[in-house]
Amino acid sequence: MARHLVTLRNFFRFAQIQDLISEDPSMNLESPKIRRNLPGYLRLEEVDRVLSQPDVKVPIGLRDRAMLEVLYSTGLRVSELIGLRITDLDAKVGCVRCIGKGDKERIVPAGKKALAIVESIFGRPGRSCWAESPAIRRCS
């Protein structure tokens, strides 16, 4: 319905510019309110199932597990997560510094469990990561 109204408004604006009509009859029409649905969410069992998916016996699985824990704990966007560096996580304060939409920096609280997993896998911020693993080399 709203798209049809926009089309009519544009048509009448064009007709007015072309001097085919003297005034726009769509000027007093109100657009319908667009109802937005809330985003879906996962139940606790589904979250546990997702978090247990990575194979933690291989380096890529460990990395994936850490990424999922950080996503779940912080609510970061995936685009923010992939831009993170180990130095952006502060376990002492319990926060993550990330660059969000529009290149704006955000400080986001992170759960202790996620920070502990990242620290146990990659070490403390400032230390080198597993340099022998190409999947994890990017983190320092």
Side-chain angles (χ1 to χ4, degrees):
M1 179 74 173
R3 288 189 322 208
H4 296 295
L5 282 175
V6 169
T7 302
L8 283 173
R9 284 191 181 116
N10 287 332
F11 172 73
F12 286 124
R13 187 178 312 128
F14 169 79
Q16 206 172 15
I17 290 170
Q18 297 295 317
D19 288 328
L20 300 173
I21 58 174
S22 59
E23 66 180 65
D24 183 355
S26 68
M27 188 75 85
N28 297 327
L29 292 177
E30 287 186 32
S31 295
K33 301 293 180 213
I34 297 174
R35 188 171 168 201
R36 300 198 182 246
N37 295 333
L38 292 173
Y41 60 91
L42 299 176
R43 292 189 309 275
L44 191 55
E45 309 85 47
E46 294 170 320
V47 170
D48 289 337
R49 204 168 44 228
V50 168
L51 291 176
S52 67
Q53 287 301 307
D55 180 9
V56 295
K57 294 175 183 151
V58 296
I60 291 176
L62 287 171
R63 181 206 58 192
D64 291 349
R65 174 64 188 267
M67 291 172 70
L68 287 172
E69 288 287 349
V70 170
L71 275 176
Y72 177 66
S73 172
T74 61
L76 292 179
R77 298 175 185 94
V78 173
S79 60
E80 294 170 333
L81 175 73
I82 61 172
L84 284 182
R85 298 184 184 280
I86 292 296
T87 55
D88 292 334
L89 287 93
D90 189 344
K92 289 181 184 173
V93 179
C95 289
V96 174
R97 184 178 56 84
C98 68
I99 305 298
K101 287 183 175 180
D103 274 343
K104 293 189 178 180
E105 184 177 303
R106 299 194 305 147
I107 306 291
V108 182
K112 292 177 184 176
K113 183 177 179 183
L115 292 171
I117 288 175
V118 170
E119 190 172 301
S120 70
I121 294 171
F122 299 110
R124 296 196 191 299
R127 287 181 28 197
S128 63
C129 298
W130 294 341
E132 67 273 5
S133 173
I136 302 177
R137 191 172 293 148
R138 180 181 170 276
C139 67
S140 59

